Amino acid sequence: RNLQTILQRKFPIVLYGPAKYKRFETISVETLHDLDFHMSVSTNVDYNDGRVKNFLMKYRAYFSTEPKDHSFCGYDLVSYFADVLSQYGRDWRYYVGEKRSELLQTSYQFQQVGEEGGYMNVATRRMEYTPEFKLQAVR
């Protein structure tokens, strides 16, 4: 509410925050657009992406239904690890931290978190609510 007051005084504002701001009942979607809200998310599907459109057509033809979030997640996981496996063979686990991939719903870039192994995905997607009422990826 205070940011909206400042915004009405014609001060330029860009709000950065977690994706959970979208779920706050006291913040309208219009306010997020007005405040040029930027957030980092682990998953997001861009339905204007040609790869997503291609996936949707094939999924609908094969399963006769719309894909759920888990459909995109499964596709991305298999795509990433199949690519790493085909590129590095049996030694794929030694190279998993060297490959970054931008997939349909998720990006992957694994970073080793333990001396004896263990990796964590550190890739995120930055999204922006624009004043033109669009939600777009920030590159």
Side-chain angles (χ1 to χ4, degrees):
R1 186 175 53 212
N2 292 341
L3 290 175
Q4 283 180 307
T5 303
I6 294 170
L7 190 63
Q8 289 173 353
R9 293 182 184 169
K10 305 297 182 201
F11 288 102
I13 296 176
V14 177
L15 175 64
Y16 288 84
K20 71 179 178 180
Y21 282 8
K22 299 183 312 181
R23 295 188 305 264
F24 289 176
E25 292 178 10
T26 56
I27 302 176
S28 70
V29 173
E30 292 80 13
T31 300
L32 295 175
H33 286 285
D34 290 343
L35 294 172
D36 197 12
F37 177 53
H38 288 63
M39 65 182 168
S40 293
V41 295
S42 58
T43 62
N44 181 67
V45 177
D46 178 4
Y47 287 91
N48 293 318
D49 185 320
R51 297 173 307 151
V52 171
K53 290 178 181 179
N54 187 37
F55 172 79
L56 287 170
M57 287 183 355
K58 289 179 180 179
Y59 191 96
R60 290 170 182 154
Y62 190 78
F63 295 108
S64 299
T65 188
E66 289 297 310
K68 306 285 188 246
D69 288 344
H70 287 68
S71 307
F72 289 101
C73 180
Y75 179 84
D76 285 354
L77 274 169
V78 170
S79 295
Y80 177 81
F81 285 104
D83 187 40
V84 171
L85 183 60
S86 71
Q87 191 171 357
Y88 300 109
R90 290 182 175 204
D91 294 330
W92 68 269
R93 64 186 174 278
Y94 302 115
Y95 299 97
V96 74
E98 296 181 13
K99 183 168 183 60
R100 179 179 173 94
S101 293
E102 301 286 332
L103 300 163
L104 301 182
Q105 180 186 44
T106 304
S107 300
Y108 289 112
Q109 182 173 1
F110 290 98
Q111 188 174 62
Q112 191 168 359
V113 294
E115 290 182 26
E116 296 180 23
Y119 289 85
M120 178 173 60
N121 184 13
V122 295
T124 60
R125 293 185 175 190
R126 292 184 17 223
M127 303 300 295
E128 173 186 9
Y129 282 79
T130 70
E132 296 81 29
F133 291 95
K134 293 181 183 176
L135 178 61
Q136 64 187 24
V138 178
R139 304 269 178 216

